[in-house]
């Protein structure tokens, strides 16, 4: 029972982190393209963790 709760909680945490990184990348896209690309790479890494 508790194990499934913690698994969903971890998944939810990764989803929030992914959304935050995408928002940050979008914001940075007009200011600093290199930092935006770095945030997109981090978001892609989080997405890969979500899919496994």
């Amino acid at each position: 029972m508790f194990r499934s709760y913690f698994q969903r909680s971890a998944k939810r945490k990764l989803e929030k982190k992914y959304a935050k990184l995408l928002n940050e990348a979008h914001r940075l896209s007009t200011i600093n393209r290199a930092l935006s690309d770095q945030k997109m790479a981090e978001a892609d890494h989080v997405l890969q963790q979500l899919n496994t």
Side-chain angles (χ1 to χ4, degrees):
M1 180 175 150
F2 290 112
R3 185 174 190 182
S4 64
Y5 171 76
F6 289 121
Q7 287 176 346
R8 278 188 255 138
S9 176
K11 183 178 179 182
R12 184 80 168 145
K13 192 183 287 187
L14 284 174
E15 288 172 348
K16 286 183 179 183
K17 185 175 181 179
Y18 178 69
K20 182 180 175 185
L21 286 168
L22 284 180
N23 283 336
E24 187 71 16
H26 179 55
R27 186 184 69 79
L28 287 171
S29 67
T30 59
I31 301 168
N32 187 338
R33 186 66 187 175
L35 286 177
S36 175
D37 290 343
Q38 182 181 4
K39 293 291 180 181
M40 283 300 295
E42 289 178 33
D44 192 36
H45 180 71
V46 171
L47 184 62
Q48 288 175 356
Q49 288 178 344
L50 274 170
N51 290 334
T52 58

